[in-house]
Amino acid sequence: MVALLASLICGSVLLAAAAMKVAEPAASRVALATYGAADWWLTPLVAVETALGAAVLAGLRGAGWGAAVLFAAFAVAQSGVLVRGGGGAPCGCLGGRGAVSATSVVRVAGLAGLAALAHGGGRPALALVGVGVAAVAALLGRRAPRGALDVAGEGPEIGTTLSGPTGLLLFTADGCRLCARVKRGLSGVVELDEERDAAAWLAARVPGAPYAVVVGDDGVVRAKGTVNTAEQARSLLGHSRRTFLSRAAGVAAAVAGAQTIGALVRPGEAEAYHFCGHVYTTDSCPHPTGLPRIDAKGYPLRAEDGHRVDDLGRLIDGEGRAVGEDGTRLVDPDGRPLPIASRTKVCKATGRRYGFATQVDGAWYRCCKGHVRKLVDCCADHDRRVNGDKSLRGYCYGHRRVFCVMFHQTKIPC
């Protein structure tokens, strides 16, 4: 009876998961990006879930163990995402629904155990559940800090006066799921949107969302910092937390465990540069088409649509051939296809242009227009950055410093 009930539950879950992925293909492909999987994985994943679900319900020999292995693989994948700090990203469990969390890991580990029971697994089934619980316990041990992250040079200076509303201010952005989660856990908070309250963002020198500031009734800033949970936001009501990232010599910032490369400045200042809705003092890396958008491997993409381009700034197809806006191959006046040009990683090309070695050491993250953008530091053992100012450490290793910056647009909602 237990095995029959387990078969019914697991088989139904697998078929439902497959059906929802088919019903929401776009959202499901976005969710696959959470695990670093390509879009084409969706079709075979749906096929496997459908086949295993039907086999489990039919009571075919070995189907229960197959489902148990699949669920266990899902648990391991989600645990990896949590360890990397990706909690809250779409899990793709049921189409576009659900987010990666400790609860989701426990749930899928429990399904692995049920699937083993469907095959009459007995003790092995309990072992699978135990592994899932142990994994979650380990992950909870890596939970985010209880305090907000306050970094020197980021946000309004403590003790200065800030005009506008008082109390606990939460700076949010449109489409920022993390912002919504932080807000749900708070009461009496004043929400300031990136676009609607742009003037307040500028006055407070906010580096990105979600960010919290405590302003007293007298308008004086009491505490401030980057927050990822409601608990961290509430901690600001008592005190703010400075970390080892704070350096008197330069500006550093951390979001999702990484550091920024410069201080936020007011638009219009001569040394200010920007992309992704935020303004920084370090300019973009030289790029064939302007704004320094790159793919996951560092190669140039056109900023407006993410289309591949070569070192000459021409649109190219999958084989590197120059094409027009309509995708047709470009030809010379005699009708011969234009020769293929080189396509170099943007940071590497920057080093060649300026005559010294460059390297990508690290990156940091911002929520931009509802999706996570990875902002990448191109580092060099050089005391000046691309715009001629003194270089900053940023997220560079060893003796290297930030020379210029790039960005990679991910498909992960924020």
Side-chain angles (χ1 to χ4, degrees):
M1 185 65 181
V2 173
L4 180 61
L5 181 59
S7 297
L8 180 61
I9 294 174
C10 293
S12 299
V13 168
L14 286 170
L15 290 178
M20 290 185 180
K21 287 182 176 66
V22 171
E24 302 177 345
S28 298
R29 290 189 176 94
V30 168
L32 285 175
T34 297
Y35 310 99
D39 290 354
W40 62 264
W41 282 44
L42 180 61
T43 299
L45 180 58
V46 168
V48 170
E49 288 179 338
T50 302
L52 275 177
V56 169
L57 288 177
L60 296 184
R61 184 177 180 83
W65 280 122
V69 170
L70 182 64
F71 284 129
F74 290 162
V76 170
Q78 291 186 28
S79 297
V81 172
L82 283 178
V83 169
R84 295 194 301 270
C91 70
C93 310
L94 297 171
R97 298 173 176 80
V100 177
S101 65
T103 300
S104 72
V105 175
V106 170
R107 181 173 60 241
V108 76
L111 286 170
L114 277 177
L117 281 175
H119 187 73
R123 290 184 179 179
L126 295 177
L128 282 173
V129 176
V131 169
V133 173
V136 171
L139 291 169
L140 292 177
R142 299 170 60 92
R143 66 198 312 177
R146 296 176 63 87
L149 180 65
D150 176 16
V151 179
E154 194 173 71
E157 288 298 322
I158 294 176
T160 59
T161 301
L162 192 65
S163 61
T166 59
L168 178 58
L169 314 182
L170 181 64
F171 292 84
T172 63
D174 183 41
C176 175
R177 296 172 60 183
L178 181 58
C179 300
R181 187 171 68 187
V182 172
K183 181 184 174 183
R184 281 197 298 269
L186 299 172
S187 60
V189 65
V190 178
E191 182 180 7
L192 298 171
D193 180 78
E194 183 177 18
E195 295 185 2
R196 185 183 64 248
D197 304 295
W201 270 65
L202 183 61
R205 297 164 55 89
V206 175
Y211 194 84
V213 177
V214 175
V215 180
D217 293 337
D218 55 359
V220 175
V221 176
R222 307 297 185 190
K224 43 97 175 183
T226 295
V227 296
N228 278 220
T229 66
E231 182 182 20
Q232 291 175 350
R234 284 192 293 269
S235 74
L236 288 173
L237 297 173
H239 62 87
S240 62
R241 179 178 63 91
R242 292 197 176 272
T243 72
F244 69 95
L245 295 175
S246 302
R247 295 186 177 95
V251 178
V255 171
Q259 298 168 313
T260 66
I261 46 89
L264 184 67
V265 296
R266 294 177 181 272
E269 292 187 4
E271 65 274 33
Y273 306 91
H274 69 91
F275 54 84
C276 189
H278 303 276
V279 183
Y280 304 95
T281 57
T282 299
D283 199 359
S284 307
C285 295
H287 188 278
T289 60
L291 286 179
R293 182 170 179 174
I294 57 176
D295 62 17
K297 296 182 179 179
Y299 290 99
L301 301 175
R302 189 164 65 176
E304 61 189 59
D305 55 13
H307 202 298
R308 291 158 52 96
V309 296
D310 59 22
D311 289 342
L312 300 178
R314 306 178 303 182
L315 301 183
I316 58 174
D317 60 17
E319 298 180 6
R321 301 175 300 187
V323 297
E325 292 291 341
D326 59 358
T328 58
R329 190 166 181 185
L330 299 181
V331 297
D332 64 18
D334 296 324
R336 293 172 298 191
L338 295 179
I340 295 176
S342 62
R343 186 171 185 245
T344 312
K345 292 183 178 181
V346 172
C347 186
K348 184 176 182 180
T350 299
R352 289 179 179 176
R353 177 172 177 174
Y354 285 89
F356 50 78
T358 52
Q359 181 173 329
V360 174
D361 282 337
W364 35 284
Y365 301 84
R366 288 289 187 258
C367 181
C368 302
K369 302 300 181 182
H371 287 82
V372 173
R373 275 190 181 178
K374 179 180 180 181
L375 298 119
V376 184
D377 294 342
C378 181
C379 307
D381 191 6
H382 202 270
D383 62 355
R384 294 289 164 182
R385 43 190 169 171
V386 66
N387 48 298
D389 296 338
K390 185 176 180 180
S391 55
L392 302 172
R393 178 70 65 190
Y395 199 52
C396 299
Y397 305 148
H399 297 289
R400 288 185 290 274
R401 293 174 177 269
V402 178
F403 185 71
C404 58
V405 291
M406 309 165 287
F407 74 88
H408 168 54
Q409 179 69 48
T410 75
K411 296 181 180 181
I412 301 176
C414 57

